[in-house]
Amino acid sequence: QVQLVESGGGLVQPGGSLRLSCAASGSIFSINVMGWFRRAPGKEREFVAVITKGGIITYADSVKGRFTLSRDNAKNTVYLQMNSLIPEDTAVYFCYSTVMPRATAYWGQGTQVTVSS
């Protein structure tokens, strides 16, 4: 069993920044990938960014150049630095991870990000 706990969400003005954190704990032998999805009001969950075990990072086109994903392997934690935020970034952000040996998927419960003037 793996638990994912997000933090760092909040209310920010357009053009502002937030830094999200996701810490994994529990029965972890090796993390395969960690990343972020988001769900805006009335929308389906949307991919944001992911980092593989080998350190390869992929971003959605909508956030490329504005968001930066990083990882602290010793803490089993990923960070999402969000800059130049726009109202369209408003969503609940969900951390996810897959854990070896089965690449079992786990999800956090989400953290609210609201971008509004």
Side-chain angles (χ1 to χ4, degrees), residues 6 9 13 16 20 28-29 39 43 50 61 64 66-67 69 71 78 82-83 85 90-91 97-98 102 107 111-112 116:
E6 304 103 330
Q13 293 184 332
L20 306 184
I28 299 173
F29 290 98
R39 186 175 183 178
K43 304 288 187 178
V50 66
D61 288 342
K64 194 173 299 180
R66 300 187 298 118
F67 291 11
L69 184 66
R71 176 179 64 188
V78 293
M82 306 185 296
N83 298 325
L85 285 161
T90 296
S97 178
T98 60
R102 297 181 181 179
W107 291 88
T111 185
Q112 176 71 48
S116 176

Side-chain angles (χ1 to χ4, degrees), residues 67-86:
F67 291 11
T68 302
L69 184 66
S70 61
R71 176 179 64 188
D72 184 336
N73 287 332
K75 296 181 178 180
N76 291 320
T77 299
V78 293
Y79 306 93
L80 187 68
Q81 179 67 46
M82 306 185 296
N83 298 325
S84 301
L85 285 161
I86 58 177

Side-chain angles (χ1 to χ4, degrees), residues 4-69:
L4 301 175
V5 179
E6 304 103 330
S7 63
L11 174 65
V12 65
Q13 293 184 332
S17 298
L18 287 172
R19 188 189 190 221
L20 306 184
S21 299
C22 175
S25 63
S27 300
I28 299 173
F29 290 98
S30 181
I31 292 174
N32 186 8
V33 304
M34 291 188 75
W36 296 88
F37 280 65
R38 66 187 182 185
R39 186 175 183 178
K43 304 288 187 178
E44 295 299 315
R45 192 171 289 177
E46 174 192 23
F47 169 77
V48 176
V50 66
I51 184 167
T52 70
K53 181 178 177 66
I56 304 300
I57 300 173
T58 302
Y59 298 98
D61 288 342
S62 59
V63 307
K64 194 173 299 180
R66 300 187 298 118
F67 291 11
T68 302
L69 184 66

